[in-house]
Amino acid sequence: MALNGTAAHASDHVAEGDVIEFNAPIARPHAAAPEAIDLVVVYEDEDIVVVDKPAGMVVHPAPGHYTGTLVNALLGLGGAWSAAGGEERPGIVHRLDKGTSGLIVAARNDIAHRKLAGQLADRSLSRTYLAIVRGVVKSQAGELEGAIGRHPKERKRMAVVASGRFARTRYEVVERKSAHTLVRCDLDTGRTHQIRVHLAALGFPIAGDAEYGGRRGVRRDPASPGPTPRGGSPPSNQTDEPARPMLHAWRLRLRHPRTGAEMSFEAPPPEDFNAYWSSLQ
């Protein structure tokens, strides 16, 4: 931006007759465009499509990510998609974070979308994740309950806060190593970043999760009361962190929106997940 031909500053005052120059932002179309992007399609019929989303792929267009999203890839498959989620999110019933890999279901029509959304609401659509966390979790299994809402100071992050919405995550230890634990997590609710927030608040952040665990040591949230229960050994300060959160949507269970048949899908963790776990002592 320029004021009267020179670079403008926030402290500048303007007066009648001043000339202000700026570049208008490029208008972005509301509707996403189809793109030829390879997808691992686990299941497909006239109502639903189940995809194994790769880590690094954004689910739907958003500022900074208008191409290369899962929505663009779904549109590239052709055929009709539900519009119940809005024109920028055709087919999208639920989401996965950009850095999370694994299973996600999309709806081909509005009836299927509404029925799947209803299953999310009544928790009959179940999602099971695998996560590698820093630290050795001593309890073999447990439930984490902590209301999740916007962080009071960092609005792009979520936190366990008293004013948040009820959230519950069930976990079970799959395997332990000297400074890390492989856990399986089931969502009883579907809050934004729920597993990442709950595990970090418990003291076992997901490996590679710079947003909630930091690259070096654990970043505790002083505004967070933490989920209950607490326990286990303190997390590792290992600094050799993976490039993305080690979180994978491993299993998806649902009722088919047309037939009512119970369906279950599983997708093995990707190579980077397995390689990181294998590299740990």
Side-chain angles (χ1 to χ4, degrees):
M1 179 180 289
L3 176 62
N4 297 324
T6 60
H9 301 88
S11 59
D12 289 340
H13 296 279
V14 296
E16 185 176 354
D18 286 343
V19 177
I20 300 173
E21 300 172 87
F22 64 94
N23 294 320
I26 299 173
R28 295 288 182 179
H30 289 290
E35 297 178 26
I37 300 174
D38 289 338
L39 280 179
V40 177
V41 177
V42 177
Y43 176 83
E44 180 177 15
D45 64 22
E46 61 183 326
D47 296 299
I48 63 173
V49 176
V50 178
V51 173
D52 185 359
K53 184 187 86 68
M57 175 180 276
V58 175
V59 169
H60 57 76
H65 301 282
Y66 290 103
T67 61
T69 70
L70 178 62
V71 162
N72 298 113
L74 291 175
L75 293 174
L77 294 177
W81 296 95
S82 72
E87 61 179 332
E88 291 187 350
R89 305 179 185 185
I92 301 302
V93 179
H94 65 108
R95 292 177 289 177
L96 294 176
D97 295 337
K98 176 183 177 182
T100 302
S101 58
L103 295 172
I104 184 169
V105 60
R108 283 283 192 182
N109 54 71
D110 287 353
I111 294 176
H113 189 124
R114 286 194 294 271
K115 289 189 175 182
L116 290 173
Q119 292 179 43
L120 280 171
D122 67 19
R123 303 173 190 172
S124 58
L125 190 157
S126 68
R127 293 161 290 168
T128 302
Y129 293 72
L130 295 174
I132 300 172
V133 302
R134 299 209 312 266
V136 180
V137 181
K138 290 183 178 179
S139 299
Q140 186 61 32
E143 292 184 354
L144 305 177
E145 290 188 3
I148 293 178
R150 289 288 172 188
H151 191 284
K153 295 182 179 179
E154 301 177 47
R155 303 303 293 172
K156 291 185 178 181
R157 296 177 61 220
M158 309 301 288
V160 175
V161 291
S163 60
R165 300 173 66 190
F166 172 78
R168 181 167 58 214
T169 303
R170 290 176 288 118
Y171 72 89
E172 182 176 354
V173 170
V174 177
E175 187 177 352
R176 298 179 180 89
K177 293 200 175 184
S178 61
H180 292 77
T181 308
L182 177 64
V183 296
R184 184 168 59 239
C185 295
D186 288 280
L187 293 176
D188 282 351
T189 53
R191 310 304 178 212
T192 301
H193 300 173
Q194 177 174 319
I195 293 174
R196 297 165 63 191
V197 171
H198 271 173
L199 290 175
L202 184 67
F204 300 99
I206 294 175
D209 193 347
E211 188 169 9
Y212 291 103
R215 292 282 179 183
R216 297 175 182 271
V218 177
R219 179 174 64 185
R220 290 283 185 164
D221 182 356
S224 168
T228 54
R230 300 182 64 83
S233 59
S236 162
N237 286 327
Q238 177 170 329
T239 59
D240 185 16
E241 288 287 280
R244 61 100 174 179
M246 291 289 96
L247 182 62
H248 175 70
W250 167 58
R251 185 168 63 197
L252 180 69
R253 289 177 173 171
L254 55 87
R255 297 190 309 274
H256 192 278
R258 183 183 297 267
T259 67
E262 298 287 342
M263 307 182 78
S264 181
F265 307 95
E266 291 183 6
E271 182 178 352
D272 68 331
F273 189 103
N274 292 327
Y276 181 71
W277 181 248
S278 297
S279 73
L280 300 171
Q281 297 180 351

